Amino acid sequence: MSTWIAIGLTVVGCYAVKLVGLLVPEGALERPLVRRLAALLPVALLAALTAQQTFGDGQALVLDARAAGVAAAALALVLRAPFLLVVAAAVVVTAGVRAMGG
Amino acid sequence: MAEQRTLADPDVDGDKPDAVVVRDALGVGGAVGLSGFAFGVTSAGSGLTLVQTCVLSLLVFTGASQFALVGALAAGGSPFTAAAGAFFLGVRNAFYGLRLSEVLRLTRAVRPFAAQWVIDETTAVALAQPTRRSARIGFAVTGLSLYVLWNLTTLLGALGAEAIGDTDAWGLDAAGPAVFLALLAPMVKSATERAAAGLAVVLGLGLLPVLPAGVPVLVAALAAPVVLWARGRHVRGSVR
């Protein structure tokens, strides 16, 4: 049930912000500080999420095969690989390290 | 994901053949739409049902928020902190809409429908076009192809995850963080962005063992205002 609550809130919230952008009069969200915060907020969130889903296991911090996989994804990004290849590199390397008992 | 370019003056920089716009839009929609597979697998692997997974792709349709939500729920976060993290990631779409309403000039009746397609990729394609006509074509074709593929591959991914059972053994638990990293990479260019990302990582990992699941990410989001505030102080200080 609580999963459906989370889904419902996310559906409504994410649609509302999309619609607000199209509906508000020009200039209402144009304050430089608001714009800069909106650009920087995803950076902070994505960085924290990447780190947690790489090194987190419940409440514990762990170093496992995922770290190798995400490192491979980072390398693919540096080499300007397409999006799908970046994700595939992470999955394949993680599976590979686990298969070798890592 | 893709880099945004600014819209040239719609009246001057004229003809871009419709076919070229459609081809570019399909390229983006296709490549990114296929990654719905990773979402379907991740979501099902996180314990969401097939229906819940598909509802997210149909009705939320903004990848980072979807990954964040299922990641937070899998980590045992409350529905409210999980939804809050997903919501904050979606806020950037409001700013895309602001730019798009200027470029696309949609009628009031169309806006509620177009809103669902206001995401990173459609914005990037639309804003890269030289004319209003090509921007509208780019937005519509990217939106439609991405929406259809994303939902189709979400379904296939979720079915696949249920079929293969332990998704971790296949390394599929690394798909989520890899997607986040790929979304993050083009956003991190200046020292301000690097500082915010670095501080968020420290907060997110440092608070993980001590705060309830989902809360550390929300606290880490504070890195954005903190870095902006610190930079503002620094700039004012050096001017004096």
Side-chain angles (χ1 to χ4, degrees), chain B residues 15-104:
Chain B
D15 293 337
K16 182 167 180 183
D18 291 353
V20 174
V21 182
V22 170
R23 199 190 59 205
D24 290 354
L26 286 178
V28 174
V32 182
L34 287 176
S35 57
F37 190 79
F39 173 71
V41 169
T42 304
S43 180
S46 300
L48 275 76
T49 65
L50 183 70
V51 175
Q52 288 169 334
T53 299
C54 289
V55 163
L56 280 173
S57 277
L58 284 165
L59 299 183
V60 175
F61 190 55
T62 176
S65 294
Q66 293 177 225
F67 272 104
L69 184 75
V70 299
L73 290 174
S78 87
F80 300 101
T81 52
F87 173 79
F88 283 135
L89 272 174
V91 167
R92 71 189 186 287
N93 292 329
F95 290 83
Y96 295 156
L98 209 63
R99 308 251 339 250
L100 286 175
S101 70
E102 222 177 301
V103 172
L104 301 176

Side-chain angles (χ1 to χ4, degrees), chain A residues 12 15 21 30 37-38 52-53 55 58 62 64 73 84-85 93 97:
Chain A
V12 172
Y15 179 73
E30 291 288 331
L37 195 57
Q52 284 193 355
Q53 297 196 359
F55 301 108
V62 295
D64 63 14
L84 283 177
L85 210 59
V93 169
V97 170

Side-chain angles (χ1 to χ4, degrees), chain A residues 68-90:
Chain A
V70 175
L75 182 65
L77 279 169
V78 171
L79 297 175
R80 302 192 166 274
F83 189 78
L84 283 177
L85 210 59
V86 172
V87 178

Side-chain angles (χ1 to χ4, degrees), chain A residues 15 18 21 38 52 59 94 98, chain B residues 60 112 116 168 173 204 208 211:
Chain A
Y15 179 73
K18 288 175 179 173
Q52 284 193 355
Q59 294 259 76
T94 304
R98 284 214 179 105
Chain B
V60 175
Q116 186 68 329
D168 286 6
D173 52 336
L208 189 69
L211 291 180

Side-chain angles (χ1 to χ4, degrees), chain B residues 163-204:
Chain B
I164 62 174
D166 182 14
T167 52
D168 286 6
W170 297 83
L172 291 165
D173 52 336
V179 168
F180 287 135
L181 197 64
L183 291 170
L184 177 65
M187 293 185 194
V188 183
K189 289 188 199 111
S190 72
T192 306
E193 287 144 3
R194 281 196 292 274
L199 181 57
V201 168
V202 171
L203 287 172

